[in-house]
Amino acid sequence: MTDAANGTTGSADSVVIGVDIGTSVTKAVAFAADGTPLARAARRSQLERLPGGRVEQDLDDVVRTVADVVRETASALPQPPVAVALTGQGDGLWLRDTEGRAVRPAISWMDARASDLVGTWLADGTIQKVYGHTGSGMFPGCHAPLLAWLQENEPDALTRAATAGYCVDAVAQRLTGRICLDASDATLPFLDPVTRTYSREALAACGIADHARLLPPPADPGTVLALDRHGAGLLGLPEGLPLTAGPYDLPACAIGSGVRDPGDGVVIIGTTLACQVLTDQTLVDPAAEPAGMWLCMPEQDRWLRAMPAMVGTAALQWALTLTGRTTEDLGDLLAASPPGARGVTALPFLSGAGERAPFVDPAARGRLDGLTLAHTPADAVRAVCEAIGYAARHCLEAAGLTGTLAACGGGSRSGPWAQLFADIIGRPVTIPVEEETGALGATKVARRALGLPPSTLPQPVRTVVPHPSARESYERGYAQYRRELDASRAHRSA
C-alpha cells in the first residue's frame, strides 16, 4: 500500500491508526508495524473566539472530526487496524457529566478569561506555593484558574459535572464509555510527578479543594481500552477494538521524534513553541521561577521537563499577515534580511493570555522595536523569527538540554527557518521526515501497551547543522533578547 504523502510502501499487518486531536485540526495516520505511514486524513474543527479572551470548543464537533479521519484512513486499508491510538491537545478544561456529555463548551488552553486571577495568584504567592508541591507552573488556560473562575462565575457547571478532564480523555470516553486520564495530561498543575497523585496542598492553595472529586486519578501506564458499540459505530470499526488514550501531544511528539536518553530534547515549532527535555529525575526547587512542568512519561522513572511557550508559528503568521506576505514568501524574506534584522528586534509574546514558559506572566505582550523608514518587511519578519528562536533557546536552557535536539511541527518544515533555529541554539537539529510525530508517538505507546513488537527500521530524519559564521551574531542577539525581556518584565512589575 502507498502513502500518497511520501510515496513509501509498507506491510499492512498489525496496523495502528494514530489520531492527533489538535486545537484546530484533527489528523490520523495509519502506521504499519515497521513505522511506514500507509494512509492519512485531516479535518478542521471549530474554534470559537469570544469576547474577553475566551476560546471554546464543542466536544461533539471534535468527536466528529475524529470519526471522520479514522473512517477515511481505515477505508484505505485492506483490513481493520489492530488498534486506535489517541493523542491531542492538552490543558484547557473539558467538563462532562456521568455519560461523557459536555456540561458546557470545552474551554481551550488558549483561553484568557482567568488572566487576572493568575496575576493575583502570582502576586500573592499562590502559584509559587503550588509550584513547591508539584513543580508545575500555571497559566490562564490550565485547570486551576479555570476551575476557580467557574467556581466564582458558573458554579452550576461544576455542580452538573462529573469529570473535569482534557481533550484526549473526553474523546476516549465517548468512544469507549470509560474514563482514562493519562498522567501526562493530569500533570498541570496539581499532580505530584513522583507519586503520580494529586497534591491536596496544591488544590487547597487554589481554593478549589471541594472540586477534587472532578479530577480522575491518572490511569496506570499501559492501560488499554476498547471501543464500545457507540464508539465502534462512530469510527466504523469492530466493537472491542483496542484503543489507547495518551500521552497528550507534547510527550507524544517527543516519543515520535526519537527522544530516548536523559538530556535529549525536542522543540515543537507549532502554534505553540513547546520545548522539552527528557530526564530520569525530578528536581523541584520551591524557590525557582514557577514555570513549566514535569510531564510523566509511560515509563515510571522518566519525565519530560517541559517549557511550552504560548506562541510559536502563530507569531510568525501574525508578522506575515502584518506585512502582506504568506508562508510561501518566508524563504525569500529571510534571505533578504541579514542575521540581526538590521537592528530590528522583537519579543514574541502575542498570546492574549500572556506567557507560561520559561516564565509565567499573564500580562506579557509582544513588541517590535527599532523600525525606521529604511527598514523593509523582510527585517520585521526576520526579527520575529529570530525572537521565536531566542525564546526556544531560553526554554531549552531552562529545561536542562544537554544532549541531542530534535525538532518537529510545521515550522520545522521550512528549511531557512530550521537553519535559523539551529544557528541560534548552536547545535545540530534532527527533523523527522514523518510530519505527524504526535500520531507516530501515540502508536509507539499503543504498540508497547498491546505487546506488539516495536519497529526495527531507523526513523528517517534530516539534520540541520549550525553555521559557524552565524554564531557570534546570534550570541549577541540572544544576549540582547534576554536584556530586553528582563527590562520589559521589570517595567511591568514596577
Side-chain angles (χ1 to χ4, degrees):
M1 182 172 293
T2 300
D3 172 27
N6 60 21
T8 59
T9 60
S11 169
D13 295 334
S14 65
V15 172
V16 177
I17 294 180
V19 182
D20 188 347
I21 313 164
T23 304
S24 56
V25 180
T26 298
K27 294 158 284 189
V29 185
F31 289 101
D34 63 4
T36 300
L38 304 176
R40 61 184 75 218
R43 291 290 189 281
R44 297 198 67 84
S45 53
Q46 299 173 13
L47 199 64
E48 297 292 332
R49 295 185 180 273
L50 305 169
R54 305 182 188 195
V55 185
E56 298 182 343
Q57 288 193 273
D58 182 343
L59 175 56
D60 289 339
D61 177 63
V62 173
V63 172
R64 171 194 62 79
T65 67
V66 173
D68 286 350
V69 296
V70 171
R71 280 180 171 272
E72 181 176 337
T73 305
S75 69
L77 304 174
Q79 59 195 41
V82 298
V84 173
L86 301 182
T87 185
Q89 58 179 297
D91 298 309
L93 184 62
W94 299 63
L95 288 175
R96 293 108 64 189
D97 62 18
T98 55
E99 301 300 318
R101 297 178 298 241
V103 301
R104 69 171 321 285
I107 303 177
S108 169
W109 60 271
M110 296 189 295
D111 194 274
R113 75 188 68 196
S115 293
D116 289 346
L117 178 58
V118 171
T120 298
W121 284 356
L122 275 171
D124 67 16
T126 296
I127 289 178
Q128 194 74 50
K129 184 176 182 180
V130 172
Y131 183 84
H133 290 292
T134 67
S136 285
M138 291 190 215
F139 69 105
C142 73
H143 262 47
L146 291 176
L147 286 170
W149 190 93
L150 289 175
Q151 180 175 256
E152 179 67 24
N153 296 278
E154 295 182 24
D156 182 58
L158 297 179
T159 300
R160 290 184 288 114
T163 303
Y166 304 80
C167 175
V168 175
D169 65 283
V171 172
Q173 185 178 7
R174 293 289 287 271
L175 298 177
T176 69
R178 290 179 56 191
I179 298 173
C180 181
L181 178 64
D182 191 82
S184 63
D185 248 330
T187 296
L188 190 70
F190 305 123
L191 197 72
D192 181 325
V194 177
T195 65
R196 301 195 179 207
T197 59
Y198 296 115
S199 166
R200 295 181 180 180
E201 294 85 356
L203 285 158
C206 297
I208 53 177
D210 290 346
H211 301 299
R213 67 174 182 84
L214 298 176
L215 303 176
D220 292 333
T223 296
V224 178
L225 307 175
L227 294 179
D228 62 14
R229 180 177 299 179
H230 174 72
L234 284 174
L235 303 188
L237 295 174
E239 184 176 355
L241 188 84
L243 179 143
T244 57
Y248 85 98
D249 57 4
L250 295 193
C253 284
I255 295 168
S257 296
V259 173
R260 295 182 182 87
D261 298 320
D264 292 349
V266 60
V267 54
I268 306 170
I269 314 171
T271 303
T272 59
L273 186 68
C275 301
Q276 308 170 88
V277 176
L278 187 65
T279 177
D280 56 4
Q281 55 185 329
T282 56
L283 301 172
V284 178
D285 179 1
E289 179 96 28
M293 69 279 281
W294 299 90
L295 295 176
C296 296
M297 293 289 279
E299 302 85 1
Q300 292 280 5
D301 61 348
R302 291 290 185 273
W303 298 266
L304 284 166
R305 183 62 173 139
M307 290 287 171
M310 288 293 289
V311 172
T313 57
L316 170 60
Q317 188 58 56
W318 173 86
L320 291 170
T321 301
L322 185 71
T323 57
R325 306 304 199 272
T326 68
T327 53
E328 285 74 23
D329 302 316
L330 181 58
D332 291 339
L333 289 166
L334 290 177
S337 180
R342 297 190 179 93
V344 180
T345 62
L347 293 179
F349 313 122
L350 296 177
S351 169
E355 188 51 273
R356 61 179 175 176
F359 60 91
V360 177
D361 185 351
R365 293 296 180 264
R367 284 171 38 183
L368 191 59
D369 295 327
L371 287 167
T372 71
L373 292 175
H375 287 107
T376 67
D379 297 323
V381 171
R382 174 174 273 278
V384 171
C385 286
E386 290 182 349
I388 298 169
Y390 293 140
R393 177 171 169 177
H394 193 188
C395 286
L396 289 166
E397 289 178 353
L401 177 68
T402 59
T404 63
L405 179 63
C408 61
S412 69
R413 301 298 150 186
S414 165
W417 201 17
Q419 184 66 59
L420 185 148
F421 269 85
D423 291 344
I424 286 177
I425 297 169
R427 64 177 67 217
V429 178
T430 61
I431 301 171
V433 172
E434 172 54 54
E435 295 186 15
E436 302 305 334
T437 53
L440 177 59
T443 63
K444 289 184 176 183
V445 173
R447 295 186 67 84
R448 187 184 311 153
L450 291 165
L452 298 173
S455 171
T456 57
L457 293 180
Q459 185 173 348
V461 300
R462 63 185 179 93
T463 301
V464 182
V465 179
H467 291 144
S469 60
R471 181 172 181 81
E472 184 177 350
S473 174
Y474 284 129
E475 287 299 317
R476 290 197 306 269
Y478 181 57
Q480 181 178 359
Y481 168 85
R482 293 292 300 271
R483 288 194 299 270
E484 291 180 355
L485 172 58
D486 291 344
S488 178
R489 294 187 67 192
H491 176 75
R492 286 195 299 275
S493 63

